[in-house]
Amino acid sequence: MKAAEEIRLTEKNVKEFIEEKVKKITSVIGDGIAINALSGGVDSAVVTMLGHRALGNRLKTYFVDNGIMREGEPQKVEEIFRQQGVNIEILDAQEEFFNAFKGVTGPEEKREAVTQTFYKDIFGKLVTKSGAKYLLQGTILTDIDETIAGIKRQHNVFEQLGIDPQQAFGYKIIEPLVELRKDSVRVLAEALGLPENIYNRPPFPGPALATRIIGEVTKERVDIVRKATSIVEEELKDTGAFQYMAILHQDRVTGMRDGKRDFGLQIEIRCWDSIDAREATPTDLPYKQLRKLADDILRGVPGVVSVTYNIAAKPPSTIEVV
Ligand code: XMP
């Protein structure tokens, strides 16, 4: 098990990198068809653009609506890419994902549920339907080395773990970004002409809001964390922080509502300063801003009685809770 050597992209070498990757994709796919999935994050956005440069309409791009995305995300992402001349098909897979999450509570088991549903059930079928032999995906170096180090088995890492996607899912996977970390992916995204709201977008994990729910992922619990996420993203969007999020805890705590005891929900806010996600420190947010966030969440998210801010650095913490 070995990760690739890192390549750091700058304005100087980014053009050459694009040409090389486009050439590679073209030569591997030949006159065939490939598919890929957009999650709305910068990694999959970049892979979509590289794939389209290489294959044009022979790359079929899907936005898999797994029910655990942020508010309005499928339509938002589709519109951004339509403006880039790239057509995206939104695929409703909510039922499949929520069925797979039933009764699943452990972090790695959740990732495995996402992996199997996404790669086997959804993409297995799409590959057969479209005649594609390849899936293009945006795995980056940090995903791989956290998986190899045994910190988190990121949902999108296979070959480095000795898993052959052809055998496991029935297709091959091409990963043009495995030598890059997030800061280089952003340089690449800008060079590929993606708008700033994509290349400067905070990272968002493939397993989406499932990585921000402690315990079982149900529709109701996703709705709660989704509402809190919208509030946190809106309030913290101008901080320049690397990533910020709302977490739904499993434990309930005593609060009060309408003069009565309410054994209610806890939301944790996390906001990180980081360059490439390997290490991160909690952003020194003004107390006033934290208080405003708490008030907005208590008002806007039904059932919440406690709001906390994480102040532990990575390591030993990690960016997501799952
Ligand atoms: P952690 O939580 O390990 O996260 O400190 C490091 C970076 O990776 C993102 N992340 C994921 N991305 N699949 C992904 O595609 C995953 O399973 C996954 N888990 C974490 C996280 O958002 C952060 O930017």
Side-chain angles (χ1 to χ4, degrees):
M1 292 198 299
K2 206 168 166 289
E5 283 292 316
E6 181 179 359
I7 295 177
R8 294 196 75 89
L9 293 183
T10 61
E11 261 175 39
K12 275 196 188 130
N13 60 358
V14 67
K15 259 198 170 144
E16 200 183 306
F17 183 90
I18 294 172
E19 274 167 28
E20 188 195 305
K21 294 297 168 185
V22 167
K23 226 190 214 157
K24 181 85 193 290
I25 297 169
T26 314
S27 75
V28 174
I29 309 291
D31 55 9
I33 290 166
I35 59 175
N36 81 312
L38 248 181
S39 71
V42 63
D43 308 340
S44 63
V46 159
V47 166
T48 303
M49 295 311 287
L50 284 175
H52 272 271
R53 281 213 185 172
L55 308 171
N57 288 337
R58 287 183 297 115
L59 178 71
K60 310 281 177 217
T61 300
Y62 296 92
F63 185 101
V64 179
D65 185 358
N66 49 19
I68 48 175
M69 289 291 175
R70 288 170 288 186
E71 194 74 49
E73 190 74 1
Q75 295 71 25
K76 222 182 279 169
V77 174
E78 185 192 30
E79 177 55 26
I80 290 173
F81 277 83
R82 206 155 47 84
Q83 285 172 12
Q84 297 286 319
V86 178
N87 284 329
I88 288 163
E89 195 174 317
I90 299 177
L91 200 89
D92 183 355
Q94 300 198 22
E95 283 316 308
E96 284 93 331
F97 277 88
F98 283 114
N99 282 337
F101 284 133
K102 253 185 212 140
V104 177
T105 52
E108 293 305 289
E109 290 73 19
K110 260 184 223 172
R111 283 196 156 76
E112 188 59 13
V114 171
T115 298
Q116 291 303 327
T117 311
F118 188 83
Y119 290 93
K120 206 165 170 186
D121 305 344
I122 310 290
F123 271 91
K125 278 189 206 131
L126 280 178
V127 161
T128 317
K129 198 177 105 189
S130 65
K133 291 195 173 51
Y134 288 89
L135 172 75
L136 244 62
Q137 78 168 10
T139 320
I140 65 170
L141 191 48
T142 319
D143 299 337
I144 294 168
D145 49 35
E146 291 215 341
T147 299
I148 292 177
I151 298 165
K152 283 183 186 181
R153 215 218 98 178
Q154 305 254 340
H155 79 291
N156 52 2
V157 176
F158 304 107
E159 263 155 307
Q160 295 80 3
L161 289 176
I163 300 167
D164 177 0
Q166 178 74 52
Q167 264 183 4
F169 313 122
Y171 49 86
K172 294 189 173 72
I173 296 183
I174 302 178
E175 298 171 318
L177 311 184
V178 286
E179 296 133 320
L180 308 184
R181 295 194 188 276
K182 196 64 87 182
D183 44 340
S184 290
V185 180
R186 293 195 200 286
V187 173
L188 183 55
E190 189 175 1
L192 284 164
L194 283 162
E196 192 183 351
N197 58 0
I198 288 285
Y199 70 74
N200 264 342
R201 204 170 193 201
F204 191 68
L209 297 175
T211 60
R212 299 179 182 173
I213 293 176
I214 303 175
E216 193 177 356
V217 180
T218 62
K219 272 191 186 159
E220 296 69 32
R221 301 192 80 213
V222 171
D223 279 349
I224 293 164
V225 88
R226 185 181 280 130
K227 280 201 181 91
T229 300
S230 295
I231 295 169
V232 170
E233 289 194 346
E234 179 55 30
E235 179 65 31
L236 301 184
K237 67 177 193 293
D238 298 324
T239 53
F242 179 79
Q243 204 167 351
Y244 32 88
M245 61 196 67
I247 310 288
L248 174 62
H249 280 234
Q250 193 166 25
D251 287 348
R252 287 181 174 255
V253 290
T254 298
M256 54 167 130
R257 204 179 299 276
D258 305 326
K260 290 216 174 67
R261 173 190 158 88
D262 181 8
F263 202 43
L265 303 170
Q266 292 192 76
I267 291 284
E268 174 187 334
I269 299 163
R270 291 184 169 202
C271 182
W272 297 104
D273 291 336
S274 179
I275 291 173
D276 56 19
R278 281 189 288 179
E279 294 183 344
T281 46
T283 307
D284 190 3
L285 293 174
Y287 186 68
K288 243 185 160 172
Q289 193 169 25
L290 288 169
R291 280 301 326 274
K292 177 168 187 311
L293 264 172
D295 287 344
D296 289 352
I297 290 171
L298 292 171
R299 208 176 305 115
V301 190
V304 177
V305 297
S306 164
V307 179
T308 56
Y309 184 57
N310 169 65
I311 50 170
K314 172 183 177 175
S317 190
T318 59
I319 289 180
E320 310 285 349
V321 283
V322 160

